[in-house]
Amino acid sequence: MSQTIFYIILTLIIVEFFWDRFLLYLNTTKWNSKVPSELSSIYNDEEYAKQQSYSKVNYKFGWVTGVYSLLLIVLMIIFDGFAFVDNWALSISDSPILRALIFFGVIGFASTLLNIPFSLYSTFVIEEKFGFNKTDAKTFVLDMLKSLLIGAILGGGILALIIWFYTATGIYFWLYAWALVTVFMLFITTFYTSLLLPLFNKQTPLEDGELKTAIQLFSDKVGFKLDNIFIMDGSKRSTKANAFFSGLGSKKRIVLYDTLVNDLSVEEVVGVLAHEIGHYKKKHTLWGMIIGILQTGVMLFIFSLFVGSVDLSAALGVNEPVFHIALIAFGILYSPISGISGMFSSIFSRKNEYEADAFAAKYHNAKSLISALKIISVKALSNLTPHPLYVFFHYSHPPLLQRIEALRKFEK
Ligand SMILES: [Zn+2]
């Protein structure tokens, strides 16, 4: 039986790789050197050629990183790499919690190290070449260290507690784990902008001036507190512009990148802000979290049915049921289901984007949001013509031209 699971795991990894590459390939069939007419006023031929070449460079780079990751995981599985690391962890501690922490510590650290050359190349060669990169070496190193540390503290803490639940309650651990993950998700969603984000970026309240006055007028009109709107130093890393809504209750916050404020007119910034307030008014964050909590519950329950199986751990070369080894094997076996739930999340997210756009059109106007979206997407050299199947599976936002088309319906 463990042999069969071993082959299913390998097959899933390889099929998933080719499926991803196939969807990405479909995108390349839509490449076209002619600027879509909707954008011909702000995109010249030379800039659009640059966009096409940015897409091509990223496509090729995606092949390299994709094959590299595929080889790493396939070699780990064929040569019992997970069993090797687990044996080493066991030689240090036979406590199930410490053993799992050492195991994931080694795997996490090694995979970060192995990926450094690719993130260096992506940031300092590709993004640099196309004029996006503003990250310096210090920021790059600090970002990586901070992410590792946060991952170790949060991930390690949650894992330790879940394994403790498992040793204490057996298969009912999933209920306790679900409660823990739910509390954790609530905590992170609530405090993301006040606790985690400040470790990476500075957020400042709006300065007095034309923009603040315009935002004040609009936020009063729709009932959103001005104190919850911040400008963030996104320009520290990249020239790409963005904005987002995050948080729950009194901790809710809209964050506008400084790059957005610099690139757009006051009216356009208010258009983007109106879209973000739309996410808040339509309770998108709350619903997203409820769906996430339900998906986690289903996954933990199914995992609880298999965690104690000898065959599951044996498929990865460990001849006793071990929680963290079963977790890795289960993670791969569950990937088709997580792929499908990811697809539904994307559909849900695109629906929310249309709703937030409609809110902005209704309470502000469609025109300024349309022109803001155009500028943001042109400056970021975004793909204007993704393949519909790729969009269906992976896009959290509808493609620009479809958003414009929907917004036009609100213009009179
Ligand atoms: Zn949005």
Side-chain angles (χ1 to χ4, degrees):
M1 185 63 190
S2 70
Q3 197 69 4
T4 316
I5 299 176
F6 170 84
Y7 285 115
I8 295 175
I9 285 176
L10 268 187
T11 311
L12 278 175
I13 289 171
I14 292 164
V15 168
E16 205 174 322
F17 170 80
F18 282 105
W19 171 244
D20 279 344
R21 295 317 311 174
F22 169 69
L23 288 179
L24 283 161
Y25 161 76
L26 288 180
N27 268 349
T28 72
T29 63
K30 295 278 173 185
W31 285 342
N32 187 338
S33 55
K34 257 191 76 196
V35 186
S37 58
E38 178 76 63
L39 291 162
S40 54
S41 59
I42 54 166
Y43 235 141
N44 62 38
D45 285 347
E46 193 190 336
E47 270 294 298
Y48 195 64
K50 193 172 151 195
Q51 189 284 323
Q52 293 286 297
S53 116
Y54 185 56
S55 288
K56 280 170 198 166
V57 168
N58 276 316
Y59 178 70
K60 278 188 209 146
F61 184 62
W63 258 111
V64 177
T65 54
V67 169
Y68 178 72
S69 313
L70 177 74
L71 279 178
L72 282 181
I73 183 86
V74 166
L75 291 175
M76 278 297 273
I77 288 166
I78 293 180
F79 292 107
D80 287 341
F82 292 112
F84 179 81
V85 178
D86 178 55
N87 247 320
W88 188 73
L90 182 61
S91 72
I92 296 173
S93 169
D94 56 6
S95 135
I97 295 178
L98 274 179
R99 180 177 168 188
L101 290 178
I102 297 168
F103 175 83
F104 279 114
V106 171
I107 301 275
F109 189 66
S111 78
T112 305
L113 276 185
L114 289 166
N115 279 310
I116 287 177
F118 297 95
S119 31
L120 280 172
Y121 190 82
S122 165
T123 308
F124 295 106
V125 179
I126 300 180
E127 295 294 293
E128 185 76 39
K129 185 181 163 204
F130 288 92
F132 294 128
N133 181 41
K134 292 282 172 232
T135 312
D136 56 20
K138 187 184 155 204
T139 307
F140 184 86
V141 173
L142 282 177
D143 278 358
M144 202 170 56
L145 293 177
K146 283 185 254 182
S147 307
L148 269 175
L149 200 67
I150 294 168
I153 294 171
L154 298 181
I158 288 176
L159 182 77
L161 279 169
I162 291 181
I163 295 182
W164 182 63
F165 295 147
Y166 182 59
T167 49
T169 65
I171 63 158
Y172 295 108
F173 83 93
W174 75 273
L175 276 170
Y176 298 90
W178 192 20
L180 174 74
V181 175
T182 302
V183 170
F184 177 74
M185 280 164 80
L186 272 167
F187 179 81
I188 289 293
T189 313
T190 310
F191 294 101
Y192 172 70
T193 50
S194 46
L195 288 179
L196 279 183
L197 194 58
L199 298 174
F200 295 91
N201 283 94
K202 233 196 245 103
Q203 297 163 88
T204 42
L206 288 165
E207 274 171 36
D208 286 333
E210 199 194 342
L211 180 66
K212 185 172 176 174
T213 312
I215 288 181
Q216 174 93 63
L217 259 170
F218 182 76
S219 54
D220 282 350
K221 182 172 130 192
V222 292
F224 190 87
K225 262 171 73 190
L226 194 67
D227 307 353
N228 296 326
I229 302 168
F230 287 80
I231 309 283
M232 190 188 89
D233 59 346
S235 58
K236 186 175 152 187
R237 294 193 181 76
S238 169
T239 59
K240 290 177 182 173
N242 207 346
F244 61 88
F245 172 81
S246 149
L248 292 168
S250 65
K251 288 286 175 189
K252 65 178 176 295
R253 192 177 279 191
I254 286 175
V255 178
L256 306 168
Y257 282 40
D258 54 355
T259 40
L260 184 94
V261 176
N262 292 333
D263 292 348
L264 304 184
S265 71
V266 167
E267 264 299 282
E268 288 159 349
V269 174
V270 177
V272 172
L273 182 88
H275 168 97
E276 300 304 334
I277 294 179
H279 280 309
Y280 161 67
K281 292 282 177 185
K282 302 279 173 185
K283 298 192 169 27
H284 292 155
T285 317
L286 186 68
W287 277 109
M289 204 172 56
I290 291 170
I291 293 169
I293 289 169
L294 291 176
Q295 285 174 339
T296 309
V298 171
M299 188 192 70
L300 283 168
F301 170 71
I302 302 177
F303 180 46
S304 76
L305 304 176
F306 297 100
V307 59
S309 144
V310 182
D311 294 319
L312 199 57
S313 294
L316 293 182
V318 177
N319 293 318
E320 52 163 335
V322 177
F323 189 91
H324 52 271
I325 298 293
L327 183 61
I328 299 251
F330 178 77
I332 300 167
L333 292 171
Y334 195 72
S335 60
I337 302 178
S338 50
I340 291 167
S341 67
M343 181 195 86
F344 282 112
S345 298
S346 295
I347 295 173
F348 177 68
S349 168
R350 290 194 300 270
K351 176 194 79 72
N352 291 346
E353 292 306 322
Y354 281 125
E355 272 180 24
D357 281 352
F359 179 89
K362 198 167 155 204
Y363 292 96
H364 186 237
N365 61 64
K367 194 175 138 257
S368 41
L369 184 56
I370 291 176
S371 85
L373 291 173
K374 280 184 184 175
I375 294 171
I376 295 168
S377 135
V378 167
K379 290 233 171 198
L381 300 179
S382 308
N383 183 4
L384 302 175
T385 54
H387 192 280
L389 204 60
Y390 190 89
V391 172
F392 184 77
F393 281 100
H394 289 305
Y395 266 47
S396 63
H397 288 60
L400 177 70
L401 297 175
Q402 271 145 271
R403 279 177 87 174
I404 294 178
E405 198 183 301
L407 276 165
R408 289 246 186 267
K409 295 186 182 126
F410 293 93
E411 277 186 327
K412 277 163 207 127

